[in-house]
Amino acid sequence: MRHQFDVVIVGTGIAGLTCAIYLKKAGLNVVSMTKESHISDSNTFHAQGGIVASKDDDSANLLREDILNAGCSYNRIDAVEYFVKYGPPLVFDFLVNDVGIEFSKSSKGDIDYTEEAAHSVKRIVHFEDHTGDKIEESLIDYAKKIGVKFLVDYTAIDLITNNHHSRNTQELYKEREVMGIYALNNKKDYPETFFAQNVVLATGGIGNLYYHSTNPVSATGDGISMAYRAGADIINAEFVQFHPTSLFHRDIKRFLISESLRGEGARLKDHKDHEFMYEYSEMGDLAPRDVVARSIYDRMSKTGKEYMFLDIANYYEGSIPLEKRFSKIYSTCKDGGIDITKEPIPIVPAAHYFCGGIKADIKGRSSLKNLYAIGEAACTGLHGANRLASTSLLEGLLWGKSTAEDIIQKKYRINTKRFSSIPDWEIPSDIEEFDPLLIDQDIKAIQLTMWNYAGIIRTEKGLRRAEADLDYYSHRIMRFYKSAKLHKDIIELRNSVVCSSLIVAAALRNTKSVGCHYRSKSN
């Protein structure tokens, strides 16, 4: 089946939804697709802490300094300038005034701004600790009202480029440009062709490449892998941010314990009830994420423990009751037998956010013609070597808007006659059925390799081991992929090994420790 749109957006988090809304409002024929069965299944949905917003006692200069300090001044300056000027006001102009989101209020009825690590002032708005799902569901409702077309259960396979896919040999001599995507209809197990004047990748991050992660299992670096295979520039891939505090529990996996708890006074403790963060940083529990994650990891290593503790029960002084201020964390922990109002929370660092990705400019434009990248799949350079807390939702919001504006104003259009030279996806004549257990085994092998050798603390020896192991996995996976019956799991497996290899290669190239890329000289 062949389709044709002005814009195809892959991904339905805050970046993809915002972009779709602005494009639809401008009258463009746009489709937004997700590989999941529900539109809301995204990293955005799981975000807890909040989103940076305008505040009277804050300033662009102050926010700029916090972003640069957290990012170790590795940041792209024009991206930071753009963000601090246009980002914070957009929360109220768009999310509050247009979409109609009401963020949490204090007992006095004012916006309840909170603070997270490495912020100079309280500038983060939130909806209890359900900020992500509140924004996600509100944007979906708004998008549906204005007629945005959604496709669920469609897994993007590959970008269509003129040089690689066209049967017209003259396309070989033209500038490479993206002309759409191939996507698998998960329900029918059949690939379909989507032609587009522009493709926007808003596919999220890579957390599922690691054994411990706060991300959903869908975070397999799909857009990054697709863009890389098509020839787009991927940058800063060594910068994988680990969240210091995910819940350590036998039955509850991938659950984030928001940094907002430390912003509200929570303290990190070891198994002897000792507060240890001031031994690692003068900022104590509010040190940047990379510092806190390494500190916890080091404490675990030295004490031989699998986890540490986060104590909010003895330090919270907020005006909103703890069980309401952090209702999602409270209820989830309660289900696991932990009462956060009375006892500390077992925590462990986990892969959380990818600061690298598809190289994109202020307008979301990649190095390939007609291809845009936004949200966590993109690397705008805003975060540098380490992301400042609660800037990711706002980045997705702002770049979703700026990308839509660039597409709307764009004058170049592909002559649709050129689409006729692009074939549909070719299905192998001898299709091999796959064993789901083997797919699961390969994913786990990749996750353990990345956690052990390309995780919070890296060594030359460990990275070389990861490089060799991934090379072995890659050869086997790619050989199998070419003959196997297409399936979402197989596509994700290929994307996982590609992105893992990109991260390890970048970590090997960068021999200096900076931000969330930490190279230890010891073996």
Side-chain angles (χ1 to χ4, degrees):
M1 188 175 293
R2 295 162 78 92
H3 313 268
Q4 192 169 313
F5 295 92
D6 290 326
V7 188
V8 170
I9 300 172
V10 187
T12 54
I14 187 171
L17 289 171
T18 301
C19 188
I21 288 168
Y22 277 97
L23 289 169
K24 184 63 179 178
K25 280 185 170 183
L28 273 70
N29 182 19
V30 56
V31 64
S32 185
M33 69 171 60
T34 174
K35 63 182 179 180
E36 303 302 323
S37 299
H38 301 282
I39 302 170
S40 61
D41 283 351
S42 66
N43 271 355
T44 297
F45 186 86
H46 297 278
Q48 295 176 3
I51 182 170
V52 168
S54 298
K55 191 170 183 244
D56 290 342
D57 65 353
D58 197 9
S59 70
N61 287 336
L62 200 55
L63 178 56
R64 179 194 301 108
E65 289 307 307
D66 288 347
I67 291 172
L68 292 174
N69 287 336
C72 305
S73 296
Y74 211 93
N75 319 65
R76 177 174 172 171
I77 299 301
D78 63 343
V80 176
E81 296 289 352
Y82 182 72
F83 180 87
V84 300
K85 181 177 181 180
Y86 297 106
L90 192 59
V91 173
F92 293 102
D93 293 343
F94 180 64
L95 291 182
V96 175
N97 296 338
D98 288 355
V99 180
I101 297 174
E102 294 185 8
F103 291 102
S104 291
K105 304 284 182 67
S106 68
S107 57
K108 296 180 181 179
D110 302 319
I111 290 287
D112 182 46
Y113 287 93
T114 190
E115 183 179 358
E116 294 191 18
H119 284 271
S120 298
V121 298
K122 291 187 175 183
R123 57 164 70 98
I124 300 161
V125 299
H126 62 95
F127 183 80
E128 298 177 2
D129 59 348
H130 289 262
T131 309
D133 54 275
K134 179 67 173 179
I135 291 174
E136 178 75 13
E137 291 172 348
S138 299
L139 285 174
I140 291 170
D141 290 343
Y142 187 79
K144 286 181 175 179
K145 285 179 184 177
I146 64 172
V148 171
K149 179 180 177 62
F150 289 103
L151 290 176
V152 297
D153 282 308
Y154 273 82
T155 302
I157 306 168
D158 269 326
L159 291 166
I160 297 171
T161 61
N162 59 327
N163 301 155
H164 184 66
H165 293 99
S166 180
R167 286 175 175 161
N168 180 354
T169 56
Q170 296 308 302
E171 293 287 357
L172 290 169
Y173 308 105
K174 295 180 180 179
E175 176 187 0
R176 179 168 297 184
E177 57 182 304
V178 171
M179 303 175 74
I181 67 164
Y182 294 114
L184 179 70
N185 183 325
N186 297 342
K187 291 184 176 179
K188 296 183 178 180
D189 283 333
Y190 194 80
E192 299 180 17
T193 305
F194 290 82
F195 294 115
Q197 297 292 331
N198 302 278
V199 173
V200 181
L201 296 178
T203 52
I206 51 83
N208 198 55
L209 306 187
Y210 286 86
Y211 185 68
H212 290 292
S213 176
T214 62
N215 292 182
V217 294
S218 59
T220 50
D222 301 333
I224 297 158
S225 177
M226 286 169 59
Y228 172 74
R229 296 194 309 270
D233 293 338
I234 309 298
I235 61 171
N236 290 3
E238 67 268 39
F239 298 126
V240 180
Q241 186 181 74
F242 290 81
H243 198 288
T245 54
S246 70
L247 179 64
F248 184 88
H249 195 279
R250 183 183 62 186
D251 301 317
I252 303 171
K253 305 299 181 184
R254 299 174 182 273
F255 186 72
L256 175 71
I257 303 297
S258 172
E259 199 166 297
S260 298
L261 271 76
R262 286 183 285 125
E264 297 283 2
R267 309 285 177 83
L268 286 159
K269 295 181 176 181
D270 60 21
H271 287 249
K272 295 182 178 179
D273 202 39
H274 175 69
E275 296 178 28
F276 58 84
M277 272 309 303
Y278 278 103
E279 296 175 25
Y280 295 91
S281 170
E282 62 182 16
M283 297 177 70
D285 296 275
L286 291 179
R289 287 180 175 179
D290 61 312
V291 176
V292 180
R294 284 196 300 274
S295 302
I296 296 171
Y297 188 82
D298 182 69
R299 203 71 171 191
M300 287 164 53
S301 299
K302 288 179 176 176
T303 59
K305 303 295 184 181
E306 289 186 274
Y307 58 92
M308 289 288 117
F309 292 101
L310 184 68
D311 186 355
I312 184 71
N314 293 304
Y315 302 97
Y316 180 69
E317 296 180 352
S319 60
I320 303 171
L322 183 58
E323 56 269 33
K324 179 172 175 57
R325 170 64 182 87
F326 297 106
S327 59
K328 188 174 184 178
I329 295 172
Y330 173 78
S331 60
T332 301
C333 288
K334 192 76 170 176
D335 290 342
I338 304 162
D339 187 344
I340 70 169
T341 67
K342 297 178 181 178
E343 58 189 315
I345 308 165
I347 54 88
V348 64
H352 182 60
Y353 189 87
F354 192 40
C355 296
I358 306 162
K359 186 178 180 180
D361 66 9
I362 298 300
K363 296 297 184 181
R365 294 174 293 212
S366 76
S367 58
L368 292 182
K369 195 173 183 179
N370 309 328
L371 179 66
Y372 294 79
I374 53 178
E376 193 174 350
C379 182
T380 62
L382 170 66
H383 307 302
N386 186 39
R387 179 176 68 86
L388 180 67
S390 290
T391 54
S392 55
L393 289 176
L394 185 54
E395 181 193 22
L397 182 71
L398 179 60
W399 262 266
K401 177 177 182 285
S402 68
T403 292
E405 290 172 340
D406 191 72
I407 293 172
I408 292 163
Q409 296 167 8
K410 189 176 178 182
K411 294 181 180 179
Y412 174 78
R413 288 186 66 82
I414 301 169
N415 186 332
T416 55
K417 292 180 180 179
R418 294 168 65 196
F419 293 148
S420 62
S421 299
I422 305 291
D424 289 331
W425 184 266
E426 295 183 11
I427 300 173
S429 56
D430 187 18
I431 296 177
E432 181 181 347
E433 293 291 340
F434 71 94
D435 182 350
L437 289 176
L438 293 178
I439 302 291
D440 186 57
Q441 180 176 299
D442 280 347
I443 284 287
K444 283 186 168 60
I446 291 169
Q447 290 172 336
L448 285 169
T449 296
M450 294 299 287
W451 179 257
N452 290 331
Y453 304 124
I456 297 172
I457 297 177
R458 300 158 176 178
T459 66
E460 169 83 16
K461 184 177 180 180
L463 289 169
R464 291 294 177 196
R465 168 68 186 269
E467 181 183 46
D469 287 354
L470 291 170
D471 184 61
Y472 169 74
Y473 300 144
S474 181
H475 278 88
R476 189 177 70 230
I477 290 167
M478 295 305 179
R479 187 171 61 249
F480 173 62
Y481 175 84
K482 290 178 180 178
S483 61
K485 181 179 179 181
L486 270 182
H487 189 276
K488 175 186 170 186
D489 292 347
I490 294 174
I491 296 169
E492 289 180 330
L493 177 62
R494 178 176 70 154
N495 292 334
S496 295
V497 76
V498 168
C499 285
S500 295
S501 299
L502 288 170
I503 292 167
V504 169
L508 277 166
R509 283 194 301 270
N510 191 348
T511 58
K512 295 182 179 179
S513 294
V514 57
C516 49
H517 169 60
Y518 188 82
R519 289 280 298 261
S520 172
K521 294 181 181 180
S522 64
N523 290 327

